[in-house]
Amino acid sequence: MKHTGPITSLATNASNDIIYSASLDRTVKVWRISDLKCIETIQAHSEPVNDIIVTHDGLLFTASDDATIKVWRCNFFRGNQSHSLTVTLPAKSSPVKTLTLNQEGGVLYGGCTDGYIHYWFKGRYSGQLQYGGALQGHTHAVMCLASVSNYVVSGSADSTSRVWVREQDGQHACLAVLVGHRGPIRCVTAFSGSLGEESEEGCTICTGSLDGVLKVWHVTCKNKSSQSSAQNVCEYFEL
């Protein structure tokens, strides 16, 4: 029951006793945590699956080289679990490499090989995902995404990270371009506030690159016009 290709992403839904694994073999496998058995294989995409995320209410999002993001719902019946496709979101003909979901705002982001970050938001009345637009700025593939509060952080093969803020009207602005790595940025994570401080102003961002360096940044909004400052507040660590 194992994958026939490399595993690219993992996600857990502990409340439903599930681990998901995505693979270049174009499938997503569903594993039961209690006995570590594979209980379902989802034929998810026509091309490799690059990333998956799962929400608190059990929705599964899958991103693929077939230039789509698919949304799956876990159905329970007669003691068995089966996932059904609810919607397919096209990403403008570009392979989708990475996902992040803003749980508070209900905004889904997909980073693509053309450098664009497409996003979808929940309709106010329908609750369905609606296309919101694309964030433009990277010159190479978007390799990783992270979100915290109203911030979205992207890492790219162009060796930069960008920090975006989502305004109250749903529009986005680029707060900062983090420059300093000498190789593609493969992973990012972010949290509110500063290292060692209780303040929730701005966010702290960690970027990991194929240059073997970890950098830590702090980004804050200067004022309501979305101007910002970004500074490296921690010496980088060589891994």
Side-chain angles (χ1 to χ4, degrees), residues 91-95 112-118 138-142:
K92 308 298 181 181
S93 302
S94 181
C112 299
T113 56
D114 60 6
Y116 282 56
I117 303 167
H118 298 280
H138 288 295
T139 59
H140 293 73
V142 179

Side-chain angles (χ1 to χ4, degrees), residues 133-146:
L135 310 182
Q136 305 176 36
H138 288 295
T139 59
H140 293 73
V142 179
M143 303 179 70
C144 49
L145 291 169

Side-chain angles (χ1 to χ4, degrees), residues 21-56:
S21 59
S23 171
L24 297 184
D25 66 10
R26 300 174 291 184
T27 70
V28 174
K29 288 186 178 292
V30 186
W31 308 83
R32 192 162 50 216
I33 297 174
S34 56
D35 57 11
L36 300 180
K37 288 185 177 180
C38 180
I39 58 176
E40 186 181 357
T41 298
I42 304 172
Q43 303 298 326
H45 290 270
S46 60
E47 296 293 337
V49 184
N50 297 313
D51 199 12
I52 55 175
I53 53 177
V54 64
T55 64
H56 299 310

Side-chain angles (χ1 to χ4, degrees), residues 3 28 32 38 41 55 59 113 147 156 171 181 203 206 211 221-222 229 238-239:
H3 286 287
V28 174
R32 192 162 50 216
C38 180
T41 298
T55 64
L59 285 179
T113 56
S147 60
S156 171
Q171 298 301 307
H181 284 290
C203 65
C206 304
D211 63 10
C221 286
K222 285 182 177 179
S229 64
E238 294 189 7
L239 306 180

Side-chain angles (χ1 to χ4, degrees), residues 80-100:
N80 295 320
Q81 295 173 347
S82 177
H83 289 76
S84 59
L85 178 65
T86 63
V87 66
T88 298
L89 307 173
K92 308 298 181 181
S93 302
S94 181
V96 187
K97 292 299 184 183
T98 180
L99 297 172
T100 192

Side-chain angles (χ1 to χ4, degrees), residues 178-190:
L178 309 182
V179 179
H181 284 290
R182 297 183 178 180
I185 296 174
R186 190 64 185 85
C187 48
V188 295
T189 189

